[in-house]
Amino acid sequence: MSSLGRHEVPARTINRREFIAAIYGMGLGGPSGAVSSSDFLVRGVSCGDESKRKSNSYILQGDHPTNAVKAAVGMLAQLDRINKWSVKQSPPLPEVGIRCGIHTGTCLVGNMGFASRIKYGVVGENANIPGRLEEMNKNYGTNNLMSAETYKRLDHTQFAIRPIDYVHLRQRDPPESEPVYEVLGVGVHRKLRMPVLQAVAKRHAEAMELYIEQRFSEALPLFDEVNSKMQELTGCEADQPSVMLQARHIDCMEIRVIDVPTPTEYPSWP
């Protein structure tokens, strides 16, 4: 099963009912319309201000990881169109942003509870990971993140995907880190050609490999190149993932140049 966590972030307080009515009135159908169009929507579960979508829960889909990613890309692209429409209204409506987390794994899915109180839900460690990925977007300035479990099941020729970081998504003893990935080609750079984005993603992946091998001085200029390329392509002030990793590299390089005494140089205690 693939699960997609979506979190809506209004820029300021507005009349939610009027705003949603306006969106549906213009024929966009909101973000959920993008989900349905990719044959991903099977059942929606409301969790406060967070919306979760499960694919392959009771309707078997052979390519549900790809459908989940396409759903996220579709929602973000549709949202860009909504925001462009919103600023043209009188008075202008505020911009709305969402963050997406995508993960694939085995869960317990179905109707749970007893006769007087029953709901359709998802239980298991894998059910919580999309929410963690969604929250992690705040740290990296991204609007979508996926787990390695989803990434390895995709046809990478269909997307431009780059590794963002290694994180702890599960409770393990000892802790184990795993990579998380971002899909390029959504939001402000969704209209760029796929080969261009894939070249940037490949360069970022090369820099990440050097980072993992602790070859910081070699990785630093590659991340700087990625940042410059993303600025050129998208017009953004800075590519936050590559800038963050550049800062981390500088910190690591400074730590490594500090003289650490060898064991024979340690002071002896009486």
Side-chain angles (χ1 to χ4, degrees):
M1 185 188 81
S2 294
S3 181
L4 169 64
R6 184 190 73 204
H7 185 78
E8 300 181 3
V9 190
R12 59 180 172 84
T13 303
I14 59 172
N15 187 318
R16 185 183 179 90
R17 180 177 298 177
E18 292 180 359
F19 182 64
I20 292 177
I23 290 174
Y24 280 83
M26 63 180 290
L28 293 178
S32 59
V35 177
S36 301
S37 67
S38 66
D39 297 326
F40 177 77
L41 178 58
V42 176
R43 172 78 70 161
V45 178
S46 177
C47 304
D49 59 355
E50 181 176 342
S51 173
K52 292 186 178 180
R53 300 287 185 253
K54 275 75 61 184
S55 173
N56 204 42
S57 56
Y58 62 78
I59 299 177
L60 295 180
Q61 300 179 28
D63 203 16
H64 55 89
T66 299
N67 289 341
V69 176
K70 286 182 177 179
V73 171
M75 286 195 300
L76 292 165
Q78 194 82 322
L79 187 67
D80 183 56
R81 183 183 171 197
I82 291 172
N83 285 330
K84 289 179 179 178
W85 172 85
S86 298
V87 298
K88 297 178 182 178
Q89 305 310 301
S90 180
L93 293 171
E95 182 177 339
V96 176
I98 62 173
R99 302 182 300 268
C100 299
I102 311 167
H103 175 64
T104 302
T106 303
C107 295
L108 177 63
V109 183
N111 291 321
M112 304 176 191
F114 42 92
S116 60
R117 189 175 181 86
I118 192 169
K119 65 170 288 186
Y120 182 92
V122 179
V123 175
E125 181 183 47
N126 288 310
N128 300 321
I129 292 179
R132 295 172 189 165
L133 289 167
E134 176 266 308
E135 284 291 330
M136 286 181 185
N137 282 290
K138 299 177 184 178
N139 301 329
Y140 303 106
T142 55
N143 55 20
N144 73 90
L145 286 175
M146 76 173 72
S147 67
E149 293 299 321
T150 299
Y151 173 78
K152 68 184 182 182
R153 289 173 168 84
L154 298 177
D155 177 4
H156 297 161
T157 62
Q158 297 187 41
F159 308 100
I161 304 174
R162 63 174 173 176
I164 293 298
D165 206 352
Y166 282 74
V167 299
H168 295 152
L169 287 176
R170 314 163 198 266
Q171 294 183 351
R172 293 287 186 269
D173 189 17
E176 297 179 5
S177 63
E178 51 189 290
V180 293
Y181 301 85
E182 177 196 18
V183 181
L184 298 177
V186 296
V188 294
H189 43 82
R190 66 185 179 88
K191 293 183 179 180
L192 298 175
R193 291 189 301 173
M194 185 61 65
V196 175
L197 292 172
Q198 287 176 335
V200 176
K202 181 180 178 181
R203 201 63 167 168
H204 190 101
E206 293 172 356
M208 183 65 78
E209 285 294 327
L210 295 172
Y211 165 67
I212 295 302
E213 296 172 4
Q214 299 186 24
R215 297 160 61 182
F216 304 123
S217 60
E218 298 176 54
L220 189 59
L222 294 186
F223 280 120
D224 184 57
E225 179 183 336
V226 171
N227 179 43
S228 300
K229 192 66 176 177
M230 290 298 290
Q231 288 176 317
E232 175 187 342
L233 293 173
T234 68
C236 63
E237 293 184 5
D239 178 49
Q240 292 191 40
S242 58
V243 169
M244 182 202 68
L245 286 167
Q246 286 183 69
R248 191 184 297 177
H249 278 61
I250 293 172
D251 291 340
C252 291
M253 291 169 67
E254 290 177 350
I255 292 172
R256 292 186 67 176
V257 299
I258 298 176
D259 292 331
V260 178
T262 61
T264 58
E265 298 173 338
Y266 292 153
S268 58
W269 295 93

